[in-house]
Amino acid sequence: MKTSNSKNISAFEAISKAQYLACAPILFQTVYTLRKHNILSLLDKAKDGLSLEELCSKSDLNCYALEVLLEMAESGEIVKIDSEKRYSLTKIGYFLENDNMTRINFDFTKHVCYRAFDRLDESLTQHKPCGLSEFNKNWETIYPHLSELPDETKKAWFGWDHLYSQTSFIPAIEKIAELFNPKVVYDVGGNTGKFAIECCRHLKDTKVTILDLPSQIKMAQENIDNNGMTDRVDFMAVDMLSKPELRGDADIWWMSQFLDCFAPEHIHNILSSIRKVIKDGAHVCILEPIADRQKFDAAKLSINAGSLYFSAIANGYSRFFTTAMLTELIEDAGFKVDSIEDNLGISNSMFICTKRD
Amino acid sequence: MKTSNSKNISAFEAISKAQYLACAPILFQTVYTLRKHNILSLLDKAKDGLSLEELCSKSDLNCYALEVLLEMAESGEIVKIDSEKRYSLTKIGYFLENDNMTRINFDFTKHVCYRAFDRLDESLTQHKPCGLSEFNKNWETIYPHLSELPDETKKAWFGWDHLYSQTSFIPAIEKIAELFNPKVVYDVGGNTGKFAIECCRHLKDTKVTILDLPSQIKMAQENIDNNGMTDRVDFMAVDMLSKPELRGDADIWWMSQFLDCFAPEHIHNILSSIRKVIKDGAHVCILEPIADRQKFDAAKLSINAGSLYFSAIANGYSRFFTTAMLTELIEDAGFKVDSIEDNLGISNSMFICTKRD
């Protein structure tokens, strides 16, 4: 979906794409069903393709089901059929079956987003994550309830969350070590302690303090203890939205996919609290997937879809940023962006900031 | 989505398309929301595009909502943004806003299919239209409950149903008049009487008999009376599945999007009942959208999606046909296909059949 090409497509191609989109949720569920019953996997392994009868004999789906699914998948260019009526995967089908990122995004859409997005309009009109009521009518945001989600939904949510953050932690830490060799790192919104653990592994002389809500600290503390890093990691139970009094001893203030959970006024409060105490020469490092810094249009598409996940499901008001938006938020709180490190793991960029005078 | 091109796309294009599909339900709901709040319409009318601020002032959506929606729509090539940050429609956006068939298919997917298709897998595994329980847990098929559907769903269902049938009736009747000039037409599964009314209008000397379930006949009779055609149309309350004894006086036995509501064994019974009584020289005319007789791949895609609507929502077992499938069903019941008239209205073909000896 190269945007740069879109101006040049013919009216015929454009109407075909419009009609494809009108049927796309149906094609999406078709592909999900074929994957779930291992049909894409069977086709991927069959060098000479498989006939409908062969697929029937290897599957728990009956011939009627397989036939309607495969015909739709053929129209959607997921499978192809040769002159002897043998089915095989197209290249698109191959990536749906085998590409890790595509599968993680696909499962996130299926198990976390699909039903909830039928309430996107309601969410944006009421400024509330109305889609979340698909899981529980009483939940106001998703964050305190992650562990209560249905199993498949939980697995898909954490798969998606970890894909972006965990692939970026090590390259980000290596960059921080190279540039700053910090002694004290504050991990703001440290969550389960994943970043703190990687930090301790890679920076042997560094101490980390995890700042998070009291309810989060307990889980993080367990993880840190289980990883034998008790003497390397401190904890500060704090609500960053309440304009807390902080200590200023950190060399690095680290935030990974943290600010994207908040509205602009919240972000202003969080950064301002840090601005008040940050010592000279210290840096704020903000890791985020930034829509306009992606090499590939498909990556930009899934980041923009992620923004709408915040709208419809997570909290109703936050979003992923563009470069200009995040820069403005940083500057408004009394910082400046010294540099931006792109392509850290999957889709992430690190904004390295210092205080403005 | 030309199937013929799919073999030649690069791995990069294929993975982009796979990732696009993984986000497609999110893009679908984005476009729906933009349409519902008239944003696509505003952009369509603005020659020089509109800025975010201008759209905000003209819309009931706030800037946050508009921004996340428009960014997703830009990634999905529905809108584009120029160097002065003014949004306008792409060609794809233009057709989503203005093409009647695309909108009818889109609204059918949104209001009839979207939630129900989250149960496609369940429907195909249990051989029941499990998606229908999104509307009412006690319904076994959709047909007796069309009038009880929520208003938007009902409107979308009838819009979709009528799009295909009504555009085809007049060209089909003209073809029948030219070929056979029939005196007596049997309208099998005559439903609301729409075909019978067109038939009376265009064939001045023809009498029509509507055959349908007793519950349907009443509504059809009212429509016929209201159109002043009481003396031209007869009614026969009959369940075609119960191997009924029929009269054989028809010159034409007409079935429009009727057989696609049944399983193969039902279709065999229906056609066999007709075969028993049909007089020499009479014709069976079967109007159906046939997937492999479409000029355009997008039309084939939406017909294949329609088959899955039968699986997930309508009854759990029927489907639209391919040429080979329908031909085999016709021949198995003791008929032969004399000719096939394609391109009647939107997507429909008429199979003209006579009895085999």
Side-chain angles (χ1 to χ4, degrees):
Chain A
M1 302 299 290
K2 295 275 314 163
T3 309
S4 46
N5 291 340
S6 68
K7 287 165 204 158
N8 304 321
I9 66 175
S10 68
F12 176 74
E13 278 178 273
I15 195 167
S16 298
K17 286 185 175 192
Q19 289 175 344
Y20 175 86
L21 184 62
C23 291
I26 295 173
L27 182 61
F28 176 88
Q29 296 288 353
T30 299
V31 170
Y32 171 75
T33 308
L34 286 169
R35 261 188 53 202
K36 179 163 178 197
H37 292 274
N38 296 317
I39 308 300
L40 295 193
S41 163
L42 285 168
L43 292 174
D44 190 31
K45 286 179 200 126
K47 279 188 187 166
D48 303 320
L50 289 165
S51 68
L52 184 65
E53 292 68 30
E54 285 166 341
L55 280 167
C56 254
S57 72
K58 290 169 193 281
S59 159
D60 57 338
L61 289 169
N62 67 18
C63 271
Y64 163 76
L66 276 169
E67 207 167 30
V68 285
L69 289 168
L70 288 166
E71 285 171 15
M72 185 63 181
E74 198 245 329
S75 267
E77 298 185 40
I78 314 303
V79 303
K80 58 193 173 193
I81 183 165
D82 67 14
S83 57
E84 290 169 16
K85 300 200 172 178
R86 299 181 75 78
Y87 288 96
S88 57
L89 291 188
T90 62
K91 283 183 194 167
I92 302 173
Y94 172 84
F95 287 114
L96 285 165
E97 175 61 20
N98 295 300
D99 179 57
N100 190 44
M101 180 158 61
T102 300
R103 286 185 69 132
I104 285 172
N105 281 330
F106 195 100
D107 290 346
F108 182 71
T109 302
K110 167 71 184 172
H111 298 297
V112 180
C113 297
Y114 188 85
R115 296 177 77 84
F117 265 78
D118 203 35
R119 300 195 168 170
L120 176 64
D121 169 43
E122 209 180 324
S123 304
L124 290 169
T125 313
Q126 297 184 27
H127 321 302
K128 283 195 301 194
C130 297
L132 192 56
S133 67
E134 293 292 329
F135 299 110
N136 187 310
K137 288 197 170 27
N138 299 316
W139 293 353
E140 287 179 11
T141 76
I142 201 171
Y143 301 108
H145 306 292
L146 289 171
S147 62
E148 301 163 61
L149 290 168
D151 283 347
E152 271 190 315
T153 307
K154 192 164 27 180
K155 193 177 157 201
W157 193 95
F158 281 103
W160 179 76
D161 184 63
H162 291 181
L163 173 72
Y164 293 96
S165 57
Q166 286 191 326
T167 57
S168 309
F169 282 168
I170 294 173
I173 289 167
E174 283 169 352
K175 185 57 74 177
I176 287 171
E178 175 196 325
L179 293 174
F180 310 120
N181 192 26
K183 296 298 161 219
V184 179
V185 170
Y186 273 20
D187 180 9
V188 184
N191 207 275
T192 58
K194 284 178 309 192
F195 172 77
I197 290 164
E198 290 298 342
C199 217
C200 290
R201 277 196 192 128
H202 288 82
L203 307 175
K204 294 297 176 195
D205 302 323
T206 304
K207 291 244 181 191
V208 182
T209 299
I210 293 176
L211 288 75
D212 213 322
L213 295 169
S215 58
Q216 288 290 335
I217 291 287
K218 196 169 165 284
M219 189 168 53
Q221 198 144 22
E222 279 174 21
N223 282 340
I224 298 298
D225 292 348
N226 290 342
N227 278 273
M229 290 165 175
T230 312
D231 58 339
R232 304 271 309 277
V233 181
D234 277 340
F235 300 90
M236 198 182 293
V238 66
D239 178 1
M240 291 298 292
L241 296 185
S242 66
K243 303 188 185 178
E245 294 295 321
L246 302 168
R247 290 201 309 270
D249 56 330
D251 303 307
I252 298 292
W253 295 76
W254 168 262
M255 281 170 269
S256 170
Q257 275 179 239
F258 179 63
L259 295 182
D260 59 45
C261 301
F262 300 102
E265 58 273 24
H266 298 150
I267 296 169
H268 185 83
N269 288 348
I270 292 166
L271 292 176
S272 297
S273 296
I274 297 170
R275 176 66 180 77
K276 271 192 194 162
V277 299
I278 192 168
K279 66 182 185 186
D280 291 341
H283 292 82
V284 177
C285 297
I286 300 168
L287 192 74
E288 288 286 350
I290 305 289
D292 59 320
R293 304 189 79 78
Q294 302 305 314
K295 271 193 274 189
F296 302 113
D297 284 341
K300 182 175 172 182
L301 179 77
S302 57
I303 290 168
N304 285 329
S307 284
L308 288 161
Y309 146 79
F310 288 112
S311 313
I313 303 173
N315 57 29
Y317 52 73
S318 75
R319 50 163 302 154
F320 289 132
F321 309 106
T322 61
T323 307
M325 269 174 214
L326 184 55
T327 302
E328 194 182 327
L329 287 162
I330 289 166
E331 290 181 352
D332 280 354
F335 291 97
K336 60 184 164 57
V337 179
D338 284 349
S339 63
I340 304 174
E341 301 287 336
D342 289 325
N343 307 319
L344 300 173
I346 292 174
S347 298
N348 272 318
S349 297
M350 180 164 59
F351 282 54
I352 300 175
C353 317
T354 50
K355 66 180 169 185
R356 279 197 290 133
D357 296 325
Chain B
M1 302 299 291
K2 293 282 304 170
T3 309
S4 47
N5 291 339
S6 68
K7 289 166 204 161
N8 305 320
I9 66 174
S10 68
F12 176 75
E13 278 178 273
I15 195 167
S16 298
K17 286 187 175 191
Q19 289 175 346
Y20 174 87
L21 183 61
C23 291
I26 296 173
L27 182 60
F28 176 88
Q29 295 289 353
T30 299
V31 170
Y32 171 74
T33 308
L34 285 168
R35 261 189 52 202
K36 178 164 178 195
H37 292 273
N38 296 317
I39 307 301
L40 295 193
S41 161
L42 285 167
L43 292 173
D44 190 32
K45 286 178 202 128
K47 278 188 188 165
D48 304 320
L50 290 166
S51 68
L52 184 66
E53 293 68 30
E54 286 167 339
L55 280 167
C56 254
S57 72
K58 291 170 193 282
S59 160
D60 57 338
L61 289 169
N62 67 18
C63 271
Y64 162 76
L66 277 170
E67 208 166 29
V68 286
L69 289 168
L70 288 166
E71 286 171 15
M72 184 64 181
E74 197 245 329
S75 267
E77 297 185 40
I78 315 302
V79 304
K80 58 193 173 190
I81 182 165
D82 68 14
S83 56
E84 290 170 16
K85 300 199 172 179
R86 298 180 76 78
Y87 288 95
S88 56
L89 291 188
T90 62
K91 283 183 194 167
I92 302 173
Y94 172 82
F95 287 113
L96 285 165
E97 175 60 21
N98 295 300
D99 179 57
N100 190 44
M101 181 159 58
T102 300
R103 287 185 69 133
I104 285 173
N105 281 330
F106 196 100
D107 289 346
F108 181 71
T109 301
K110 167 71 184 171
H111 298 298
V112 181
C113 296
Y114 188 85
R115 297 177 77 85
F117 265 78
D118 204 34
R119 300 196 168 170
L120 176 62
D121 170 42
E122 211 180 323
S123 304
L124 290 170
T125 312
Q126 297 183 27
H127 321 303
K128 283 194 303 194
C130 297
L132 191 57
S133 68
E134 292 294 329
F135 299 109
N136 187 310
K137 287 195 173 27
N138 301 317
W139 293 353
E140 288 178 12
T141 77
I142 201 171
Y143 301 108
H145 305 291
L146 288 170
S147 63
E148 300 163 62
L149 289 168
D151 283 347
E152 272 190 314
T153 307
K154 194 165 23 181
K155 195 177 155 198
W157 193 95
F158 281 101
W160 179 75
D161 184 63
H162 291 182
L163 173 72
Y164 293 96
S165 56
Q166 285 192 326
T167 56
S168 309
F169 282 168
I170 295 172
I173 289 166
E174 283 169 352
K175 185 57 75 176
I176 287 171
E178 176 195 325
L179 293 173
F180 310 119
N181 191 26
K183 296 299 160 218
V184 179
V185 170
Y186 273 21
D187 179 9
V188 184
N191 208 274
T192 58
K194 286 178 308 195
F195 172 77
I197 291 164
E198 290 298 344
C199 216
C200 291
R201 276 195 193 127
H202 288 80
L203 307 176
K204 294 298 175 194
D205 302 324
T206 305
K207 289 241 180 193
V208 182
T209 298
I210 293 177
L211 286 75
D212 214 323
L213 294 169
S215 58
Q216 288 290 336
I217 291 287
K218 196 171 166 285
M219 189 168 54
Q221 196 144 23
E222 278 173 24
N223 281 339
I224 297 299
D225 291 349
N226 291 341
N227 278 274
M229 290 164 175
T230 312
D231 57 339
R232 305 272 309 276
V233 181
D234 276 339
F235 300 90
M236 198 182 296
V238 66
D239 178 0
M240 291 298 291
L241 297 185
S242 66
K243 304 189 183 176
E245 294 294 321
L246 301 168
R247 290 201 311 268
D249 56 328
D251 301 307
I252 297 291
W253 294 77
W254 167 261
M255 282 171 266
S256 170
Q257 274 178 243
F258 179 63
L259 294 182
D260 59 45
C261 301
F262 300 102
E265 59 273 24
H266 299 151
I267 296 168
H268 185 82
N269 289 349
I270 293 167
L271 292 177
S272 298
S273 297
I274 296 170
R275 175 69 179 76
K276 272 192 195 164
V277 299
I278 192 169
K279 66 182 186 185
D280 290 341
H283 292 82
V284 176
C285 296
I286 300 168
L287 192 74
E288 288 286 349
I290 306 289
D292 60 320
R293 305 189 76 79
Q294 302 305 312
K295 269 193 274 188
F296 302 115
D297 285 341
K300 182 175 171 181
L301 179 77
S302 56
I303 290 168
N304 285 328
S307 283
L308 288 160
Y309 146 79
F310 288 112
S311 313
I313 303 173
N315 57 28
Y317 53 72
S318 74
R319 52 164 301 155
F320 288 134
F321 309 105
T322 61
T323 305
M325 268 174 216
L326 184 55
T327 302
E328 196 183 325
L329 288 163
I330 289 166
E331 290 181 353
D332 279 355
F335 290 97
K336 61 184 164 57
V337 179
D338 283 349
S339 63
I340 304 174
E341 300 288 335
D342 290 325
N343 308 317
L344 300 174
I346 292 175
S347 297
N348 273 318
S349 297
M350 179 165 59
F351 282 53
I352 301 176
C353 317
T354 48
K355 64 179 169 185
R356 282 197 288 133
D357 296 322

